[in-house]
Amino acid sequence: MSTVTMQGLPGGPAENFVKEYLAHLHKLVGNDKLVINTLTELAHVNKAHARTIVHLIERRIKEVEKERHLPHIYLIDSICKNHGEPYIELFERNIIPTFCHIFKYADEKIRASLYKLRSTWSTSNMFERKLTDLDRTINSNLDPAWPIRKSVPESVQQRGSGKILINPAKLKNVGISKAVMHPGSNAEVRDALSPDKETERLKNEVLMKEKELLELKRKELELELATEKAKQKIREKTPTASSTNSSSKSSGSSSKSSDSKSAPQHDNQK
């Protein structure tokens, strides 16, 4: 386990805390909610060691394999959203190099998760002084498709410390299209941010209505066909007038033939 120099803090208790926190930090090998919550609450009850905690987490991100980067940025997010200052200010100082380090080694799936996470920071008033610079840095050096968002004017910025219990791994769509959530594709991002997006949406709605109309027409034709088949069956079961007349004539002829045959028999009897 690495030893960490804690400047400005007493030796004994501080070293014990460092060992305890590092022990838990080494357990963060995946997106484990229990470990993240434990580290978050340890940061809360040990705000006196906030600078050290920030240093340990940032250092750990540089040491671990790239597959373990994402849980650590989720830990930063959890601490800041749940317990606010002084952590927001302390993590904000290095949030650009920290975030870019993770983004640099991430695959497309992880980059999509990072984009969703960064989007929540805009609505949570976190790192607001650095977010636009973060966007520009990624856009210029790592991914030209990464959109650059305008920062919130300082006059309307409010940094709160209210509880926001959130698991970033379970984040759903936060009002942006799926295309924007995958910034690795230039075409997708351009489509999502295009001013013609509303026109495209309306076209899709019209196409859907046309499909519904065609489906109704198809059902109508099927109903007409079924009705015609039923009528045909009724016609087949009902005898026609011509066949009735033919039957009557045949019956009459049979009667006459029978009468003619019986007449000579009466003569013989006489």
Side-chain angles (χ1 to χ4, degrees):
M1 188 176 297
S2 303
T3 56
V4 179
T5 303
M6 300 183 60
Q7 298 178 357
L9 293 175
E15 290 181 4
N16 292 335
F17 169 73
V18 168
K19 291 179 180 179
E20 179 187 3
Y21 202 82
L22 278 175
H24 287 286
L25 200 56
H26 277 72
K27 296 178 183 178
L28 190 57
V29 296
N31 188 25
D32 190 324
K33 183 178 180 181
L34 179 60
V35 176
I36 290 176
N37 287 344
T38 299
L39 288 164
T40 298
E41 293 312 306
L42 280 174
H44 175 54
V45 298
N46 291 278
K47 283 190 175 181
H49 301 329
R51 293 179 182 274
T52 300
I53 292 171
V54 171
H55 171 72
L56 292 175
I57 295 172
E58 291 177 345
R59 174 171 168 170
R60 183 65 178 163
I61 289 173
K62 296 178 181 179
E63 294 175 346
V64 298
E65 301 86 347
K66 62 181 180 180
E67 292 79 13
R68 299 182 183 181
H69 282 162
L70 192 61
H72 288 77
I73 196 72
Y74 283 166
L75 173 60
I76 292 175
D77 178 83
S78 177
I79 293 174
C80 292
K81 282 179 178 173
N82 283 282
H83 302 305
E85 300 296 357
Y87 291 105
I88 294 178
E89 181 180 355
L90 292 174
F91 278 116
E92 185 179 58
R93 296 175 183 177
N94 293 317
I95 194 61
I96 294 178
T98 299
F99 193 96
C100 289
H101 175 78
I102 296 174
F103 190 90
K104 178 180 179 180
Y105 297 102
D107 57 24
E108 289 301 313
K109 184 178 179 181
I110 299 300
R111 289 187 176 191
S113 298
L114 289 171
Y115 183 86
K116 288 192 290 184
L117 182 64
R118 180 258 176 268
S119 298
T120 67
W121 293 348
S122 295
T123 57
S124 302
N125 296 320
M126 286 171 50
F127 316 135
E128 62 265 19
R129 291 177 295 182
K130 295 290 185 72
L131 289 181
T132 300
D133 289 338
L134 172 62
D135 291 341
R136 289 196 182 101
T137 302
I138 296 175
N139 179 277
S140 301
N141 302 320
L142 298 171
D143 186 355
W146 185 275
I148 300 175
R149 298 187 179 187
K150 294 181 179 180
S151 60
V152 180
E154 190 171 350
S155 58
V156 297
Q157 289 176 0
Q158 293 181 351
R159 178 172 286 174
S161 59
K163 303 282 184 179
I164 306 175
L165 301 176
I166 184 170
N167 182 0
K170 303 298 181 182
L171 280 175
K172 295 183 178 180
N173 197 318
V174 291
I176 58 175
S177 69
K178 291 183 179 180
V180 179
M181 291 167 64
H182 295 274
S185 171
N186 294 343
E188 288 179 346
V189 173
R190 284 197 301 270
D191 291 343
L193 301 178
S194 171
D196 294 331
K197 183 181 177 183
E198 182 67 14
T199 302
E200 186 67 23
R201 184 183 66 82
L202 292 175
K203 287 182 180 179
N204 291 334
E205 288 183 1
V206 171
L207 289 175
M208 289 296 296
K209 294 296 182 183
E210 289 178 352
K211 288 181 180 180
E212 292 175 2
L213 181 59
L214 289 174
E215 182 66 17
L216 289 174
K217 288 183 178 180
R218 184 183 65 81
K219 290 182 179 179
E220 184 179 353
L221 289 173
E222 289 179 352
L223 180 60
E224 290 179 358
L225 182 60
T227 303
E228 186 61 31
K229 287 182 178 180
K231 290 181 179 180
Q232 182 65 27
K233 288 182 179 180
I234 294 174
R235 285 196 295 268
E236 291 174 354
K237 292 180 179 180
T238 304
T240 60
S242 59
S243 63
T244 303
N245 293 337
S246 298
S247 177
S248 299
K249 289 180 181 180
S250 176
S251 176
S253 300
S254 298
S255 298
K256 288 180 181 180
S257 175
S258 177
D259 290 343
S260 63
K261 289 180 180 180
S262 59
Q265 294 177 359
H266 289 297
D267 292 340
N268 290 336
Q269 287 177 359
K270 288 181 180 181

